[in-house]
Amino acid sequence: MTKKVKNPASKLIIGLASICISVMLNTGIAHQISLAKSTDPQKCDILAYVTDTDPRGLNVRSGASTNKTILGQIPINETVQVIGAAGEWVQITNASDGFQGTGWVFVPKLGLTTQGYGTNGVDLYANTSQQSQKVGTIPANTVVKLLGCKGDWAQVEYQGFKGWLTREDQCGAALTSCS
C-alpha cells in the first residue's frame, strides 16, 4: 500500500530526487562515485610508462588523491607495474627509475603503446574477454590513452573509442617496441 503525498512541495522534491537518481544511474555517475570512494582497488597486472612532462617527474602519492602525501617522483618514459586501480588513480610499483616502492599516481599521466607488429593492428574489446564484442582496431605501434585496468587487461581510448586491450597487445615501455 502506498501513501499519497498531498503537499505540492513534497511532490516536487520527490520528483526531482527521482530524476537525479535516474540520471546518475543511466550516465554511470553512481558507478564513478562508488569507485572513487572504494577502499578496495581493482587488482591489475599491467605495465605502463610515465607521460608526465613535469621536469621533477610524476608524483607518487600515499593514496588515491592529490591530498595524499607525495612519496617520490618517477621521470618521464620510465616503466611502472600497475597493480591496482580506483577511479582515475592507479597503484604502481617497480618503477624502472626514480621512486622505489609502492604508491598511487593519476592514470592520465601514464601511457601505453600497442603491439601487433607485422599485423593489421590490434583488437579493442568491449569487455575484458576476447569473446566480447570488438569495438575497433588500433594500428600497431600506436600510443593510446590509458584509462584504467582490470587483471591483465588495459582500458584505453583511441580516437574517441574506448575499450580493452589484451595483455599481449600492450607495450608498457616508451622507448622500445616490445616486440
Side-chain angles (χ1 to χ4, degrees):
M1 184 170 167
T2 60
K3 185 177 177 184
K4 266 193 162 178
V5 178
K6 293 183 180 179
N7 183 339
S10 295
K11 284 183 180 181
L12 178 62
I13 291 169
I14 292 170
L16 287 173
S18 297
I19 290 170
C20 288
I21 291 169
S22 176
V23 167
M24 287 175 62
L25 292 174
N26 289 328
T27 61
I29 292 172
H31 180 66
Q32 291 174 10
I33 291 169
S34 69
L35 277 178
K37 293 186 177 186
S38 173
T39 55
D40 280 340
Q42 174 69 51
K43 292 197 182 304
C44 299
D45 184 18
I46 67 169
L47 298 176
Y49 54 85
V50 175
T51 59
D52 189 354
T53 58
D54 185 328
R56 294 171 297 189
L58 172 62
N59 288 333
V60 180
R61 297 186 178 269
S62 61
S65 167
T66 56
N67 295 330
K68 298 295 183 175
T69 305
I70 296 173
L71 302 174
Q73 288 84 22
I74 304 170
I76 191 169
N77 294 329
E78 295 302 325
T79 300
V80 296
Q81 181 181 5
V82 180
I83 59 172
E88 289 192 294
W89 290 83
V90 291
Q91 189 175 31
I92 59 97
T93 192
N94 298 332
S96 57
D97 191 22
F99 174 78
Q100 295 301 306
T102 300
W104 290 85
V105 299
F106 192 51
V107 76
K109 302 292 184 177
L110 296 177
L112 278 176
T113 304
T114 59
Q115 289 201 47
Y117 306 101
T119 70
N120 291 330
V122 299
D123 291 322
L124 190 63
Y125 294 92
N127 296 302
T128 57
S129 166
Q130 289 181 315
Q131 282 68 50
S132 70
Q133 178 184 357
K134 292 179 185 175
V135 295
T137 301
I138 303 173
N141 197 27
T142 300
V143 175
V144 294
K145 180 179 177 182
L146 181 62
L147 301 175
C149 53
K150 184 175 183 181
D152 61 359
W153 287 76
Q155 186 179 29
V156 300
E157 182 176 354
Y158 174 71
Q159 294 184 344
F161 291 97
K162 294 178 183 177
W164 295 88
L165 283 179
T166 65
R167 167 71 142 205
E168 57 269 9
D169 290 336
Q170 305 166 26
C171 180
L175 304 176
T176 183
S177 64
C178 291
S179 58

